[in-house]
Amino acid sequence: MLISALFAGAVGACATQGLDSSAADGAQRTAPPLLATAASARPSEPLKVRSGAPQRYTVVPGDTLWDIAGRFLDQPWRWPEIWHVNPQIANPHRIYPGNVIELYYEGSQPRLRVATTRSGTRVGGTIKLSPQIREEALHEAVPTIQRDLISPFLRQAVVLDSNDWQQAPYLLAGPDPRVTFGARDVVYVRGIEPPAARFWHVYRPAGEYRHPETGESLGFYGLDVGEAELEADGDPATLRLLSTRREALAGDRLLPTARDTDDSVFYFTPKPVAPGVHGYILDVFDGISLIGQYHSVVLSIGKRDGVEVGSVLGGYQAGRVVRDERAPGGGDDVTLPDQKAGILMVYKTFDRVSYALVMSATRDMHVRDRVGAP
């Protein structure tokens, strides 16, 4: 069962209002080496350097790898195709504020690299060759995309393959007759067996994701309630709520979680999805109807479809249906072609669904719009 696998390790959680009508009425919606290699499913079209691209760019605090790549390339996710690794430099796949990125050419092929001096020191950086190599903290490196855009969903993300919520521990009651609980409240829990995790995430089972065409079940999700810390084992066990994003209720379920997100989740290599991979936007976070830049969405494809963290897809606005009154036989309904609407990058994957961030948008997208090759 997936639930037992989740108990074996720490997971995050996420709150969304899904497509399934069983979602609670009125509920609020709420890595691998960096730049290691080019994607195996590399686009066949020629790589285009952006018009007016600088020859050099100095990295500043707040930059992301996507932003930096966008200064040089029309298709930022193709940066790994032209990244040149200097084997003399320690940790060549990490870029820090103050580093200078150079655009140069080998024949007709554009390349990018971190500028260095003859002695091997990165220009504007702090790494030096042995024996004076300095350790660099990963959290100081430039992330692939902005941390604050995805960190809430990374912490809160959970989708179960089967409807196993009934097997998870649950909130029973508090010391007094209140029916709702908030941050700093003590609450008693049943179903926690020793040895127990110290930190737990609280969810409210909310709905099921289904494929919009086939009706196949893609997973069961829960609304994000908050975090709790185990204070005492037992039946019932004693927990204290550390933070809440909605009132906790008796019956809310718990899954073990790490207290802090590992910094490595913010560092991954962009790569286009393989040809033929396509799906749909199932849901959008934050209760909005029009989807644009920097919105997080749920996609109907996941690990089983070959989708990975860093997978880049195009979003396509569904073509509208128009009536052709001039068609033979008294008229006909015609569906117009889908229109390219934006670029999305996956940052969290499950077996049958994934979470993606809209990196750019040229027109509004909607739930049930198609995603596929960029």
Side-chain angles (χ1 to χ4, degrees):
M1 287 291 187
L2 175 64
I3 199 86
S4 60
L6 285 174
F7 281 174
V11 297
C14 185
T16 89
Q17 190 77 15
L19 298 176
D20 188 68
S21 59
S22 64
D25 293 339
Q28 180 182 357
R29 298 187 191 185
T30 47
L34 181 61
L35 300 175
T37 59
S40 57
R42 180 179 298 177
S44 57
E45 61 196 72
L47 188 67
K48 295 180 181 178
V49 173
R50 192 179 189 89
S51 176
Q55 292 300 306
R56 283 187 161 207
Y57 174 71
T58 302
V59 181
V60 300
D63 274 344
T64 66
L65 295 177
W66 188 279
D67 294 337
I68 295 170
R71 294 179 178 272
F72 295 95
L73 302 176
D74 284 337
Q75 298 172 316
W77 64 92
R78 296 182 66 181
W79 191 5
E81 295 180 38
I82 65 170
W83 183 251
H84 175 73
V85 175
N86 185 339
Q88 290 184 310
I89 302 302
N91 298 323
H93 295 145
R94 296 184 186 176
I95 296 173
Y96 293 79
N99 287 157
V100 176
I101 308 300
E102 284 185 331
L103 172 66
Y104 70 105
Y105 288 82
E106 290 182 351
S108 60
Q109 178 65 33
R111 300 286 189 210
L112 291 173
R113 65 186 174 194
V114 175
T116 62
T117 66
R118 289 185 179 181
S119 64
T121 303
R122 287 185 174 191
V123 176
T126 60
I127 305 177
K128 296 183 178 181
L129 293 180
S130 180
Q132 296 181 342
I133 294 177
R134 292 181 56 183
E135 291 293 330
E136 298 170 293
L138 182 60
H139 71 270
E140 295 175 355
V142 173
T144 305
I145 51 182
Q146 294 179 36
R147 289 179 172 87
D148 59 351
L149 293 177
I150 64 173
S151 58
F153 308 116
L154 286 170
R155 289 196 311 268
Q156 304 158 14
V158 64
V159 178
L160 306 184
D161 288 341
S162 56
N163 197 7
D164 285 346
W165 288 113
Q166 296 304 314
Q167 299 182 31
Y170 57 92
L171 302 186
L172 176 65
D176 54 57
R178 285 183 300 146
V179 296
T180 63
F181 315 102
R184 307 309 305 166
D185 284 347
V186 168
V187 62
Y188 300 113
V189 175
R190 300 205 72 187
I192 292 181
E193 298 180 0
R198 178 180 175 186
F199 296 105
W200 296 78
H201 207 109
V202 185
Y203 302 96
R204 186 165 304 143
E208 179 182 13
Y209 290 128
R210 287 189 173 273
H211 195 283
E213 285 189 336
T214 67
E216 176 193 7
S217 175
L218 300 178
F220 297 81
Y221 65 93
L223 297 177
D224 170 35
V225 175
E227 293 86 21
E229 182 177 7
L230 180 68
E231 292 195 338
D233 290 322
D235 184 18
T238 303
L239 270 72
R240 184 176 296 276
L241 294 171
L242 300 176
S243 62
T244 55
R245 276 160 288 282
R246 51 172 49 81
E247 290 182 324
L249 304 173
D252 286 347
R253 299 286 167 165
L254 295 100
L255 295 178
T257 183
R259 182 67 196 279
D260 298 311
T261 300
D262 183 353
D263 274 338
S264 66
V265 299
F266 298 109
Y267 300 88
F268 47 84
T269 304
K271 47 194 170 293
V273 293
V277 174
H278 68 277
Y280 297 89
I281 297 175
L282 291 177
D283 198 9
V284 58
F285 297 98
D286 298 326
I288 59 177
S289 58
L290 298 180
I291 302 168
Q293 187 178 33
Y294 300 143
H295 288 152
S296 277
V297 296
V298 183
L299 306 182
S300 68
I301 46 179
K303 295 177 184 177
R304 70 170 184 178
D305 306 291
V307 175
E308 305 172 356
V309 171
S311 289
V312 177
L313 306 98
Y316 299 87
Q317 188 184 76
R320 63 191 182 93
V321 178
V322 297
R323 184 72 178 172
D324 182 6
E325 300 291 354
R326 300 174 184 81
D332 193 10
D333 290 333
V334 179
T335 301
L336 301 180
D338 294 349
Q339 296 293 311
K340 182 73 171 289
I343 294 293
L344 303 87
M345 184 160 57
V346 172
Y347 61 85
K348 181 74 176 181
T349 58
F350 299 93
D351 185 47
R352 288 170 284 182
V353 300
S354 55
Y355 293 166
L357 186 70
V358 178
M359 304 304 301
S360 62
T362 55
R363 61 182 72 222
D364 291 330
M365 287 174 278
H366 308 80
V367 168
R368 295 180 183 262
D369 278 352
R370 184 173 63 86
V371 295

